[in-house]
PDB file of all heavy atoms in Angstrom:
ATOM      1  N   MET A   1     -12.027   3.560  19.132  1.00 52.00           N
ATOM      2  CA  MET A   1     -10.648   3.742  18.719  1.00 52.00           C
ATOM      3  C   MET A   1     -10.184   5.125  19.166  1.00 52.00           C
ATOM      4  O   MET A   1     -10.853   6.120  18.948  1.00 52.00           O
ATOM      5  CB  MET A   1     -10.576   3.623  17.189  1.00 52.00           C
ATOM      6  CG  MET A   1      -9.198   3.827  16.649  1.00 52.00           C
ATOM      7  SD  MET A   1      -9.001   3.389  14.899  1.00 52.00           S
ATOM      8  CE  MET A   1     -10.123   4.487  14.092  1.00 52.00           C
ATOM      9  N   THR A   2      -9.032   5.190  19.777  1.00 54.00           N
ATOM     10  CA  THR A   2      -8.474   6.471  20.180  1.00 54.00           C
ATOM     11  C   THR A   2      -7.655   7.051  19.044  1.00 54.00           C
ATOM     12  O   THR A   2      -7.327   6.369  18.079  1.00 54.00           O
ATOM     13  CB  THR A   2      -7.584   6.297  21.429  1.00 54.00           C
ATOM     14  OG1 THR A   2      -6.451   5.536  21.060  1.00 54.00           O
ATOM     15  CG2 THR A   2      -8.338   5.629  22.563  1.00 54.00           C
ATOM     16  N   SER A   3      -7.299   8.317  19.160  1.00 57.00           N
ATOM     17  CA  SER A   3      -6.522   8.961  18.102  1.00 57.00           C
ATOM     18  C   SER A   3      -5.119   8.383  17.987  1.00 57.00           C
ATOM     19  O   SER A   3      -4.476   8.531  16.963  1.00 57.00           O
ATOM     20  CB  SER A   3      -6.448  10.465  18.346  1.00 57.00           C
ATOM     21  OG  SER A   3      -5.826  10.713  19.589  1.00 57.00           O
ATOM     22  N   ALA A   4      -4.640   7.705  19.027  1.00 70.00           N
ATOM     23  CA  ALA A   4      -3.305   7.114  18.992  1.00 70.00           C
ATOM     24  C   ALA A   4      -3.282   5.792  18.215  1.00 70.00           C
ATOM     25  O   ALA A   4      -2.226   5.330  17.818  1.00 70.00           O
ATOM     26  CB  ALA A   4      -2.787   6.892  20.399  1.00 70.00           C
ATOM     27  N   GLN A   5      -4.453   5.186  18.000  1.00 82.00           N
ATOM     28  CA  GLN A   5      -4.516   3.919  17.285  1.00 82.00           C
ATOM     29  C   GLN A   5      -4.679   4.160  15.791  1.00 82.00           C
ATOM     30  O   GLN A   5      -5.358   5.086  15.369  1.00 82.00           O
ATOM     31  CB  GLN A   5      -5.693   3.082  17.777  1.00 82.00           C
ATOM     32  CG  GLN A   5      -5.568   2.629  19.206  1.00 82.00           C
ATOM     33  CD  GLN A   5      -6.821   1.887  19.643  1.00 82.00           C
ATOM     34  OE1 GLN A   5      -7.926   2.251  19.264  1.00 82.00           O
ATOM     35  NE2 GLN A   5      -6.637   0.856  20.433  1.00 82.00           N
ATOM     36  N   GLU A   6      -4.057   3.283  14.986  1.00 81.00           N
ATOM     37  CA  GLU A   6      -4.223   3.369  13.544  1.00 81.00           C
ATOM     38  C   GLU A   6      -5.428   2.539  13.132  1.00 81.00           C
ATOM     39  O   GLU A   6      -5.723   1.521  13.746  1.00 81.00           O
ATOM     40  CB  GLU A   6      -2.979   2.843  12.845  1.00 81.00           C
ATOM     41  CG  GLU A   6      -1.764   3.717  13.065  1.00 81.00           C
ATOM     42  CD  GLU A   6      -0.589   3.263  12.236  1.00 81.00           C
ATOM     43  OE1 GLU A   6      -0.787   2.567  11.235  1.00 81.00           O
ATOM     44  OE2 GLU A   6       0.524   3.600  12.617  1.00 81.00           O
ATOM     45  N   PRO A   7      -6.148   2.949  12.067  1.00 86.00           N
ATOM     46  CA  PRO A   7      -7.289   2.155  11.596  1.00 86.00           C
ATOM     47  C   PRO A   7      -6.834   0.774  11.129  1.00 86.00           C
ATOM     48  O   PRO A   7      -5.714   0.602  10.660  1.00 86.00           O
ATOM     49  CB  PRO A   7      -7.832   2.966  10.416  1.00 86.00           C
ATOM     50  CG  PRO A   7      -7.248   4.323  10.554  1.00 86.00           C
ATOM     51  CD  PRO A   7      -5.975   4.170  11.311  1.00 86.00           C
ATOM     52  N   GLU A   8      -7.707  -0.177  11.267  1.00 94.00           N
ATOM     53  CA  GLU A   8      -7.413  -1.552  10.874  1.00 94.00           C
ATOM     54  C   GLU A   8      -7.382  -1.679   9.347  1.00 94.00           C
ATOM     55  O   GLU A   8      -8.218  -1.118   8.648  1.00 94.00           O
ATOM     56  CB  GLU A   8      -8.496  -2.472  11.434  1.00 94.00           C
ATOM     57  CG  GLU A   8      -8.316  -3.917  11.063  1.00 94.00           C
ATOM     58  CD  GLU A   8      -9.456  -4.782  11.583  1.00 94.00           C
ATOM     59  OE1 GLU A   8     -10.372  -4.252  12.222  1.00 94.00           O
ATOM     60  OE2 GLU A   8      -9.405  -5.986  11.331  1.00 94.00           O
ATOM     61  N   VAL A   9      -6.409  -2.437   8.831  1.00 94.00           N
ATOM     62  CA  VAL A   9      -6.336  -2.719   7.395  1.00 94.00           C
ATOM     63  C   VAL A   9      -7.287  -3.881   7.116  1.00 94.00           C
ATOM     64  O   VAL A   9      -7.199  -4.935   7.738  1.00 94.00           O
ATOM     65  CB  VAL A   9      -4.898  -3.086   6.978  1.00 94.00           C
ATOM     66  CG1 VAL A   9      -4.852  -3.494   5.515  1.00 94.00           C
ATOM     67  CG2 VAL A   9      -3.954  -1.933   7.242  1.00 94.00           C
ATOM     68  N   VAL A  10      -8.226  -3.677   6.176  1.00 95.00           N
ATOM     69  CA  VAL A  10      -9.209  -4.725   5.884  1.00 95.00           C
ATOM     70  C   VAL A  10      -8.947  -5.421   4.555  1.00 95.00           C
ATOM     71  O   VAL A  10      -9.451  -6.521   4.330  1.00 95.00           O
ATOM     72  CB  VAL A  10     -10.660  -4.177   5.921  1.00 95.00           C
ATOM     73  CG1 VAL A  10     -11.021  -3.744   7.325  1.00 95.00           C
ATOM     74  CG2 VAL A  10     -10.858  -3.044   4.956  1.00 95.00           C
ATOM     75  N   ALA A  11      -8.179  -4.808   3.657  1.00 96.00           N
ATOM     76  CA  ALA A  11      -7.844  -5.450   2.382  1.00 96.00           C
ATOM     77  C   ALA A  11      -6.540  -4.863   1.861  1.00 96.00           C
ATOM     78  O   ALA A  11      -6.233  -3.699   2.087  1.00 96.00           O
ATOM     79  CB  ALA A  11      -8.948  -5.236   1.357  1.00 96.00           C
ATOM     80  N   VAL A  12      -5.765  -5.696   1.158  1.00 96.00           N
ATOM     81  CA  VAL A  12      -4.486  -5.277   0.590  1.00 96.00           C
ATOM     82  C   VAL A  12      -4.431  -5.726  -0.861  1.00 96.00           C
ATOM     83  O   VAL A  12      -4.789  -6.861  -1.176  1.00 96.00           O
ATOM     84  CB  VAL A  12      -3.297  -5.897   1.372  1.00 96.00           C
ATOM     85  CG1 VAL A  12      -1.975  -5.519   0.734  1.00 96.00           C
ATOM     86  CG2 VAL A  12      -3.328  -5.462   2.823  1.00 96.00           C
ATOM     87  N   TRP A  13      -4.003  -4.801  -1.746  1.00 96.00           N
ATOM     88  CA  TRP A  13      -3.791  -5.140  -3.154  1.00 96.00           C
ATOM     89  C   TRP A  13      -2.325  -4.914  -3.473  1.00 96.00           C
ATOM     90  O   TRP A  13      -1.743  -3.920  -3.065  1.00 96.00           O
ATOM     91  CB  TRP A  13      -4.614  -4.229  -4.069  1.00 96.00           C
ATOM     92  CG  TRP A  13      -6.070  -4.463  -4.031  1.00 96.00           C
ATOM     93  CD1 TRP A  13      -6.779  -5.305  -4.836  1.00 96.00           C
ATOM     94  CD2 TRP A  13      -7.021  -3.856  -3.159  1.00 96.00           C
ATOM     95  NE1 TRP A  13      -8.112  -5.258  -4.504  1.00 96.00           N
ATOM     96  CE2 TRP A  13      -8.287  -4.371  -3.472  1.00 96.00           C
ATOM     97  CE3 TRP A  13      -6.930  -2.926  -2.118  1.00 96.00           C
ATOM     98  CZ2 TRP A  13      -9.445  -3.989  -2.810  1.00 96.00           C
ATOM     99  CZ3 TRP A  13      -8.080  -2.553  -1.459  1.00 96.00           C
ATOM    100  CH2 TRP A  13      -9.316  -3.076  -1.809  1.00 96.00           C
ATOM    101  N   ARG A  14      -1.751  -5.832  -4.240  1.00 96.00           N
ATOM    102  CA  ARG A  14      -0.362  -5.705  -4.701  1.00 96.00           C
ATOM    103  C   ARG A  14      -0.340  -6.019  -6.183  1.00 96.00           C
ATOM    104  O   ARG A  14      -0.933  -7.001  -6.617  1.00 96.00           O
ATOM    105  CB  ARG A  14       0.547  -6.673  -3.960  1.00 96.00           C
ATOM    106  CG  ARG A  14       0.677  -6.370  -2.496  1.00 96.00           C
ATOM    107  CD  ARG A  14       1.637  -7.334  -1.816  1.00 96.00           C
ATOM    108  NE  ARG A  14       1.743  -7.015  -0.407  1.00 96.00           N
ATOM    109  CZ  ARG A  14       1.236  -7.756   0.561  1.00 96.00           C
ATOM    110  NH1 ARG A  14       0.614  -8.868   0.276  1.00 96.00           N
ATOM    111  NH2 ARG A  14       1.363  -7.383   1.819  1.00 96.00           N
ATOM    112  N   GLU A  15       0.346  -5.189  -6.935  1.00 95.00           N
ATOM    113  CA  GLU A  15       0.447  -5.398  -8.370  1.00 95.00           C
ATOM    114  C   GLU A  15       1.905  -5.176  -8.777  1.00 95.00           C
ATOM    115  O   GLU A  15       2.511  -4.175  -8.408  1.00 95.00           O
ATOM    116  CB  GLU A  15      -0.456  -4.413  -9.099  1.00 95.00           C
ATOM    117  CG  GLU A  15      -0.429  -4.552 -10.600  1.00 95.00           C
ATOM    118  CD  GLU A  15      -1.343  -3.541 -11.282  1.00 95.00           C
ATOM    119  OE1 GLU A  15      -1.731  -2.548 -10.651  1.00 95.00           O
ATOM    120  OE2 GLU A  15      -1.648  -3.774 -12.451  1.00 95.00           O
ATOM    121  N   SER A  16       2.458  -6.111  -9.533  1.00 92.00           N
ATOM    122  CA  SER A  16       3.834  -5.990 -10.011  1.00 92.00           C
ATOM    123  C   SER A  16       3.843  -5.948 -11.528  1.00 92.00           C
ATOM    124  O   SER A  16       3.049  -6.622 -12.186  1.00 92.00           O
ATOM    125  CB  SER A  16       4.666  -7.184  -9.546  1.00 92.00           C
ATOM    126  OG  SER A  16       4.787  -7.184  -8.149  1.00 92.00           O
ATOM    127  N   SER A  17       4.750  -5.148 -12.072  1.00 90.00           N
ATOM    128  CA  SER A  17       4.935  -5.061 -13.518  1.00 90.00           C
ATOM    129  C   SER A  17       6.409  -4.757 -13.775  1.00 90.00           C
ATOM    130  O   SER A  17       7.159  -4.473 -12.844  1.00 90.00           O
ATOM    131  CB  SER A  17       4.038  -3.973 -14.115  1.00 90.00           C
ATOM    132  OG  SER A  17       4.519  -2.699 -13.753  1.00 90.00           O
ATOM    133  N   PRO A  18       6.839  -4.793 -15.026  1.00 87.00           N
ATOM    134  CA  PRO A  18       8.243  -4.488 -15.334  1.00 87.00           C
ATOM    135  C   PRO A  18       8.657  -3.067 -14.936  1.00 87.00           C
ATOM    136  O   PRO A  18       9.845  -2.792 -14.766  1.00 87.00           O
ATOM    137  CB  PRO A  18       8.332  -4.666 -16.844  1.00 87.00           C
ATOM    138  CG  PRO A  18       7.205  -5.577 -17.189  1.00 87.00           C
ATOM    139  CD  PRO A  18       6.116  -5.268 -16.204  1.00 87.00           C
ATOM    140  N   ILE A  19       7.699  -2.157 -14.771  1.00 88.00           N
ATOM    141  CA  ILE A  19       8.064  -0.779 -14.429  1.00 88.00           C
ATOM    142  C   ILE A  19       7.962  -0.485 -12.941  1.00 88.00           C
ATOM    143  O   ILE A  19       8.203   0.635 -12.522  1.00 88.00           O
ATOM    144  CB  ILE A  19       7.217   0.238 -15.230  1.00 88.00           C
ATOM    145  CG1 ILE A  19       5.731   0.067 -14.923  1.00 88.00           C
ATOM    146  CG2 ILE A  19       7.495   0.112 -16.709  1.00 88.00           C
ATOM    147  CD1 ILE A  19       4.873   1.182 -15.469  1.00 88.00           C
ATOM    148  N   GLY A  20       7.588  -1.455 -12.120  1.00 91.00           N
ATOM    149  CA  GLY A  20       7.539  -1.239 -10.678  1.00 91.00           C
ATOM    150  C   GLY A  20       6.428  -2.005  -9.999  1.00 91.00           C
ATOM    151  O   GLY A  20       5.775  -2.850 -10.600  1.00 91.00           O
ATOM    152  N   ARG A  21       6.243  -1.694  -8.727  1.00 92.00           N
ATOM    153  CA  ARG A  21       5.222  -2.355  -7.923  1.00 92.00           C
ATOM    154  C   ARG A  21       4.299  -1.315  -7.325  1.00 92.00           C
ATOM    155  O   ARG A  21       4.723  -0.230  -6.958  1.00 92.00           O
ATOM    156  CB  ARG A  21       5.870  -3.173  -6.812  1.00 92.00           C
ATOM    157  CG  ARG A  21       6.758  -4.285  -7.356  1.00 92.00           C
ATOM    158  CD  ARG A  21       7.410  -5.065  -6.260  1.00 92.00           C
ATOM    159  NE  ARG A  21       8.401  -4.216  -5.595  1.00 92.00           N
ATOM    160  CZ  ARG A  21       8.973  -4.503  -4.450  1.00 92.00           C
ATOM    161  NH1 ARG A  21       8.673  -5.591  -3.812  1.00 92.00           N
ATOM    162  NH2 ARG A  21       9.861  -3.690  -3.919  1.00 92.00           N
ATOM    163  N   ARG A  22       3.010  -1.635  -7.219  1.00 95.00           N
ATOM    164  CA  ARG A  22       2.007  -0.743  -6.631  1.00 95.00           C
ATOM    165  C   ARG A  22       1.319  -1.485  -5.495  1.00 95.00           C
ATOM    166  O   ARG A  22       0.971  -2.654  -5.623  1.00 95.00           O
ATOM    167  CB  ARG A  22       0.979  -0.332  -7.678  1.00 95.00           C
ATOM    168  CG  ARG A  22      -0.097   0.567  -7.119  1.00 95.00           C
ATOM    169  CD  ARG A  22      -0.991   1.135  -8.209  1.00 95.00           C
ATOM    170  NE  ARG A  22      -2.089   1.893  -7.659  1.00 95.00           N
ATOM    171  CZ  ARG A  22      -2.025   3.152  -7.276  1.00 95.00           C
ATOM    172  NH1 ARG A  22      -0.900   3.814  -7.395  1.00 95.00           N
ATOM    173  NH2 ARG A  22      -3.071   3.765  -6.781  1.00 95.00           N
ATOM    174  N   PHE A  23       1.137  -0.782  -4.383  1.00 96.00           N
ATOM    175  CA  PHE A  23       0.493  -1.343  -3.205  1.00 96.00           C
ATOM    176  C   PHE A  23      -0.672  -0.449  -2.811  1.00 96.00           C
ATOM    177  O   PHE A  23      -0.570   0.776  -2.902  1.00 96.00           O
ATOM    178  CB  PHE A  23       1.478  -1.397  -2.033  1.00 96.00           C
ATOM    179  CG  PHE A  23       2.706  -2.206  -2.314  1.00 96.00           C
ATOM    180  CD1 PHE A  23       3.825  -1.618  -2.874  1.00 96.00           C
ATOM    181  CD2 PHE A  23       2.733  -3.551  -2.023  1.00 96.00           C
ATOM    182  CE1 PHE A  23       4.958  -2.353  -3.126  1.00 96.00           C
ATOM    183  CE2 PHE A  23       3.868  -4.310  -2.270  1.00 96.00           C
ATOM    184  CZ  PHE A  23       4.989  -3.705  -2.831  1.00 96.00           C
ATOM    185  N   GLU A  24      -1.758  -1.055  -2.377  1.00 97.00           N
ATOM    186  CA  GLU A  24      -2.907  -0.310  -1.859  1.00 97.00           C
ATOM    187  C   GLU A  24      -3.448  -1.041  -0.643  1.00 97.00           C
ATOM    188  O   GLU A  24      -3.499  -2.261  -0.623  1.00 97.00           O
ATOM    189  CB  GLU A  24      -4.014  -0.200  -2.909  1.00 97.00           C
ATOM    190  CG  GLU A  24      -3.637   0.604  -4.113  1.00 97.00           C
ATOM    191  CD  GLU A  24      -4.764   0.739  -5.111  1.00 97.00           C
ATOM    192  OE1 GLU A  24      -5.925   0.400  -4.777  1.00 97.00           O
ATOM    193  OE2 GLU A  24      -4.493   1.206  -6.224  1.00 97.00           O
ATOM    194  N   GLU A  25      -3.836  -0.269   0.362  1.00 96.00           N
ATOM    195  CA  GLU A  25      -4.460  -0.824   1.571  1.00 96.00           C
ATOM    196  C   GLU A  25      -5.781  -0.110   1.798  1.00 96.00           C
ATOM    197  O   GLU A  25      -5.834   1.117   1.820  1.00 96.00           O
ATOM    198  CB  GLU A  25      -3.568  -0.627   2.795  1.00 96.00           C
ATOM    199  CG  GLU A  25      -2.293  -1.421   2.759  1.00 96.00           C
ATOM    200  CD  GLU A  25      -1.439  -1.201   3.986  1.00 96.00           C
ATOM    201  OE1 GLU A  25      -1.643  -0.204   4.714  1.00 96.00           O
ATOM    202  OE2 GLU A  25      -0.542  -2.023   4.216  1.00 96.00           O
ATOM    203  N   LEU A  26      -6.851  -0.883   1.961  1.00 96.00           N
ATOM    204  CA  LEU A  26      -8.152  -0.336   2.326  1.00 96.00           C
ATOM    205  C   LEU A  26      -8.265  -0.409   3.839  1.00 96.00           C
ATOM    206  O   LEU A  26      -8.117  -1.478   4.432  1.00 96.00           O
ATOM    207  CB  LEU A  26      -9.281  -1.141   1.677  1.00 96.00           C
ATOM    208  CG  LEU A  26     -10.697  -0.770   2.102  1.00 96.00           C
ATOM    209  CD1 LEU A  26     -11.021   0.665   1.691  1.00 96.00           C
ATOM    210  CD2 LEU A  26     -11.702  -1.741   1.521  1.00 96.00           C
ATOM    211  N   LEU A  27      -8.508   0.729   4.472  1.00 95.00           N
ATOM    212  CA  LEU A  27      -8.608   0.789   5.928  1.00 95.00           C
ATOM    213  C   LEU A  27     -10.062   0.696   6.367  1.00 95.00           C
ATOM    214  O   LEU A  27     -10.982   0.969   5.594  1.00 95.00           O
ATOM    215  CB  LEU A  27      -7.984   2.090   6.441  1.00 95.00           C
ATOM    216  CG  LEU A  27      -6.535   2.340   6.013  1.00 95.00           C
ATOM    217  CD1 LEU A  27      -6.058   3.675   6.554  1.00 95.00           C
ATOM    218  CD2 LEU A  27      -5.619   1.222   6.448  1.00 95.00           C
ATOM    219  N   ALA A  28     -10.265   0.308   7.613  1.00 94.00           N
ATOM    220  CA  ALA A  28     -11.611   0.109   8.147  1.00 94.00           C
ATOM    221  C   ALA A  28     -12.435   1.391   8.102  1.00 94.00           C
ATOM    222  O   ALA A  28     -13.661   1.334   8.016  1.00 94.00           O
ATOM    223  CB  ALA A  28     -11.537  -0.415   9.579  1.00 94.00           C
ATOM    224  N   ASP A  29     -11.796   2.550   8.106  1.00 94.00           N
ATOM    225  CA  ASP A  29     -12.543   3.811   8.066  1.00 94.00           C
ATOM    226  C   ASP A  29     -12.904   4.235   6.642  1.00 94.00           C
ATOM    227  O   ASP A  29     -13.458   5.296   6.423  1.00 94.00           O
ATOM    228  CB  ASP A  29     -11.794   4.923   8.795  1.00 94.00           C
ATOM    229  CG  ASP A  29     -10.473   5.294   8.130  1.00 94.00           C
ATOM    230  OD1 ASP A  29     -10.113   4.700   7.089  1.00 94.00           O
ATOM    231  OD2 ASP A  29      -9.789   6.190   8.656  1.00 94.00           O
ATOM    232  N   GLY A  30     -12.563   3.394   5.646  1.00 94.00           N
ATOM    233  CA  GLY A  30     -12.933   3.664   4.259  1.00 94.00           C
ATOM    234  C   GLY A  30     -11.872   4.371   3.441  1.00 94.00           C
ATOM    235  O   GLY A  30     -12.051   4.565   2.240  1.00 94.00           O
ATOM    236  N   THR A  31     -10.765   4.753   4.050  1.00 95.00           N
ATOM    237  CA  THR A  31      -9.703   5.411   3.290  1.00 95.00           C
ATOM    238  C   THR A  31      -8.792   4.377   2.642  1.00 95.00           C
ATOM    239  O   THR A  31      -8.718   3.227   3.072  1.00 95.00           O
ATOM    240  CB  THR A  31      -8.862   6.350   4.179  1.00 95.00           C
ATOM    241  OG1 THR A  31      -8.297   5.576   5.236  1.00 95.00           O
ATOM    242  CG2 THR A  31      -9.688   7.472   4.754  1.00 95.00           C
ATOM    243  N   VAL A  32      -8.090   4.811   1.593  1.00 96.00           N
ATOM    244  CA  VAL A  32      -7.160   3.946   0.879  1.00 96.00           C
ATOM    245  C   VAL A  32      -5.779   4.586   0.934  1.00 96.00           C
ATOM    246  O   VAL A  32      -5.629   5.773   0.650  1.00 96.00           O
ATOM    247  CB  VAL A  32      -7.583   3.749  -0.593  1.00 96.00           C
ATOM    248  CG1 VAL A  32      -6.542   2.952  -1.359  1.00 96.00           C
ATOM    249  CG2 VAL A  32      -8.936   3.078  -0.668  1.00 96.00           C
ATOM    250  N   CYS A  33      -4.787   3.809   1.324  1.00 96.00           N
ATOM    251  CA  CYS A  33      -3.395   4.251   1.290  1.00 96.00           C
ATOM    252  C   CYS A  33      -2.737   3.530   0.125  1.00 96.00           C
ATOM    253  O   CYS A  33      -2.821   2.307   0.022  1.00 96.00           O
ATOM    254  CB  CYS A  33      -2.678   3.887   2.588  1.00 96.00           C
ATOM    255  SG  CYS A  33      -3.325   4.715   4.033  1.00 96.00           S
ATOM    256  N   ALA A  34      -2.098   4.289  -0.763  1.00 96.00           N
ATOM    257  CA  ALA A  34      -1.461   3.700  -1.936  1.00 96.00           C
ATOM    258  C   ALA A  34      -0.045   4.237  -2.077  1.00 96.00           C
ATOM    259  O   ALA A  34       0.225   5.394  -1.761  1.00 96.00           O
ATOM    260  CB  ALA A  34      -2.272   4.017  -3.183  1.00 96.00           C
ATOM    261  N   TRP A  35       0.872   3.376  -2.539  1.00 94.00           N
ATOM    262  CA  TRP A  35       2.235   3.806  -2.800  1.00 94.00           C
ATOM    263  C   TRP A  35       2.829   2.904  -3.872  1.00 94.00           C
ATOM    264  O   TRP A  35       2.313   1.836  -4.167  1.00 94.00           O
ATOM    265  CB  TRP A  35       3.072   3.797  -1.524  1.00 94.00           C
ATOM    266  CG  TRP A  35       3.316   2.452  -0.930  1.00 94.00           C
ATOM    267  CD1 TRP A  35       4.413   1.664  -1.103  1.00 94.00           C
ATOM    268  CD2 TRP A  35       2.451   1.715  -0.050  1.00 94.00           C
ATOM    269  NE1 TRP A  35       4.287   0.494  -0.391  1.00 94.00           N
ATOM    270  CE2 TRP A  35       3.091   0.504   0.258  1.00 94.00           C
ATOM    271  CE3 TRP A  35       1.202   1.973   0.488  1.00 94.00           C
ATOM    272  CZ2 TRP A  35       2.508  -0.450   1.097  1.00 94.00           C
ATOM    273  CZ3 TRP A  35       0.647   1.015   1.311  1.00 94.00           C
ATOM    274  CH2 TRP A  35       1.291  -0.163   1.614  1.00 94.00           C
ATOM    275  N   THR A  36       3.907   3.376  -4.481  1.00 94.00           N
ATOM    276  CA  THR A  36       4.597   2.611  -5.523  1.00 94.00           C
ATOM    277  C   THR A  36       6.060   2.455  -5.145  1.00 94.00           C
ATOM    278  O   THR A  36       6.605   3.230  -4.361  1.00 94.00           O
ATOM    279  CB  THR A  36       4.502   3.306  -6.899  1.00 94.00           C
ATOM    280  OG1 THR A  36       5.069   4.605  -6.784  1.00 94.00           O
ATOM    281  CG2 THR A  36       3.070   3.410  -7.371  1.00 94.00           C
ATOM    282  N   GLU A  37       6.678   1.438  -5.709  1.00 92.00           N
ATOM    283  CA  GLU A  37       8.099   1.186  -5.528  1.00 92.00           C
ATOM    284  C   GLU A  37       8.693   0.861  -6.897  1.00 92.00           C
ATOM    285  O   GLU A  37       8.007   0.288  -7.749  1.00 92.00           O
ATOM    286  CB  GLU A  37       8.333   0.014  -4.582  1.00 92.00           C
ATOM    287  CG  GLU A  37       7.890   0.280  -3.163  1.00 92.00           C
ATOM    288  CD  GLU A  37       8.142  -0.909  -2.228  1.00 92.00           C
ATOM    289  OE1 GLU A  37       8.580  -1.973  -2.701  1.00 92.00           O
ATOM    290  OE2 GLU A  37       7.891  -0.761  -1.027  1.00 92.00           O
ATOM    291  N   PRO A  38       9.961   1.205  -7.111  1.00 90.00           N
ATOM    292  CA  PRO A  38      10.592   0.879  -8.389  1.00 90.00           C
ATOM    293  C   PRO A  38      10.833  -0.623  -8.503  1.00 90.00           C
ATOM    294  O   PRO A  38      10.725  -1.352  -7.511  1.00 90.00           O
ATOM    295  CB  PRO A  38      11.911   1.641  -8.330  1.00 90.00           C
ATOM    296  CG  PRO A  38      12.210   1.771  -6.879  1.00 90.00           C
ATOM    297  CD  PRO A  38      10.878   1.887  -6.206  1.00 90.00           C
ATOM    298  N   PRO A  39      11.159  -1.119  -9.713  1.00 84.00           N
ATOM    299  CA  PRO A  39      11.468  -2.539  -9.857  1.00 84.00           C
ATOM    300  C   PRO A  39      12.610  -2.940  -8.930  1.00 84.00           C
ATOM    301  O   PRO A  39      13.440  -2.104  -8.562  1.00 84.00           O
ATOM    302  CB  PRO A  39      11.893  -2.671 -11.318  1.00 84.00           C
ATOM    303  CG  PRO A  39      11.360  -1.472 -12.001  1.00 84.00           C
ATOM    304  CD  PRO A  39      11.282  -0.397 -10.962  1.00 84.00           C
ATOM    305  N   LEU A  40      12.671  -4.197  -8.565  1.00 75.00           N
ATOM    306  CA  LEU A  40      13.739  -4.688  -7.706  1.00 75.00           C
ATOM    307  C   LEU A  40      15.100  -4.374  -8.316  1.00 75.00           C
ATOM    308  O   LEU A  40      15.306  -4.548  -9.522  1.00 75.00           O
ATOM    309  CB  LEU A  40      13.608  -6.196  -7.484  1.00 75.00           C
ATOM    310  CG  LEU A  40      12.403  -6.628  -6.649  1.00 75.00           C
ATOM    311  CD1 LEU A  40      12.302  -8.147  -6.626  1.00 75.00           C
ATOM    312  CD2 LEU A  40      12.488  -6.087  -5.238  1.00 75.00           C
ATOM    313  N   GLY A  41      16.002  -3.883  -7.507  1.00 79.00           N
ATOM    314  CA  GLY A  41      17.337  -3.551  -7.965  1.00 79.00           C
ATOM    315  C   GLY A  41      17.488  -2.136  -8.478  1.00 79.00           C
ATOM    316  O   GLY A  41      18.588  -1.663  -8.710  1.00 79.00           O
ATOM    317  N   GLU A  42      16.396  -1.409  -8.649  1.00 75.00           N
ATOM    318  CA  GLU A  42      16.434  -0.021  -9.125  1.00 75.00           C
ATOM    319  C   GLU A  42      16.306   0.923  -7.932  1.00 75.00           C
ATOM    320  O   GLU A  42      15.719   0.580  -6.928  1.00 75.00           O
ATOM    321  CB  GLU A  42      15.303   0.250 -10.112  1.00 75.00           C
ATOM    322  CG  GLU A  42      15.378  -0.553 -11.385  1.00 75.00           C
ATOM    323  CD  GLU A  42      16.543  -0.139 -12.278  1.00 75.00           C
ATOM    324  OE1 GLU A  42      16.867   1.056 -12.314  1.00 75.00           O
ATOM    325  OE2 GLU A  42      17.114  -1.015 -12.916  1.00 75.00           O
ATOM    326  N   THR A  43      16.839   2.118  -8.066  1.00 74.00           N
ATOM    327  CA  THR A  43      16.725   3.114  -7.010  1.00 74.00           C
ATOM    328  C   THR A  43      15.534   4.015  -7.281  1.00 74.00           C
ATOM    329  O   THR A  43      15.000   4.046  -8.389  1.00 74.00           O
ATOM    330  CB  THR A  43      17.996   3.967  -6.910  1.00 74.00           C
ATOM    331  OG1 THR A  43      18.178   4.641  -8.150  1.00 74.00           O
ATOM    332  CG2 THR A  43      19.213   3.113  -6.596  1.00 74.00           C
ATOM    333  N   TYR A  44      15.125   4.734  -6.259  1.00 67.00           N
ATOM    334  CA  TYR A  44      14.024   5.684  -6.414  1.00 67.00           C
ATOM    335  C   TYR A  44      14.496   6.806  -7.292  1.00 67.00           C
ATOM    336  O   TYR A  44      13.923   7.492  -7.938  1.00 67.00           O
ATOM    337  CB  TYR A  44      13.569   6.234  -5.057  1.00 67.00           C
ATOM    338  CG  TYR A  44      12.728   5.257  -4.295  1.00 67.00           C
ATOM    339  CD1 TYR A  44      13.281   4.439  -3.325  1.00 67.00           C
ATOM    340  CD2 TYR A  44      11.371   5.148  -4.531  1.00 67.00           C
ATOM    341  CE1 TYR A  44      12.511   3.539  -2.613  1.00 67.00           C
ATOM    342  CE2 TYR A  44      10.601   4.246  -3.824  1.00 67.00           C
ATOM    343  CZ  TYR A  44      11.174   3.448  -2.866  1.00 67.00           C
ATOM    344  OH  TYR A  44      10.408   2.567  -2.158  1.00 67.00           O
TER     345      TYR A  44
END
């Protein structure tokens, strides 16, 4: 893999609740990228 390529995503988790949504991606290099979003219709 060259530095210009992004690591492959090997697993994805999604969780929704009344207070928002959480996403996590496990990458092939062992790192985890996680982020949250507000509930649908709400602003950040």
Side-chain angles (χ1 to χ4, degrees):
M1 179 169 61
T2 67
S3 60
Q5 294 176 322
E6 293 187 21
E8 179 183 0
V9 175
V10 294
V12 177
W13 289 269
R14 294 182 180 109
E15 180 180 18
S16 295
S17 71
I19 61 169
R21 298 179 291 167
R22 179 171 175 83
F23 301 89
E24 295 182 12
E25 293 180 342
L26 173 63
L27 305 178
D29 65 0
T31 59
V32 175
C33 296
W35 66 96
T36 58
E37 294 180 355
L40 292 174
E42 296 291 325
T43 61
Y44 283 97

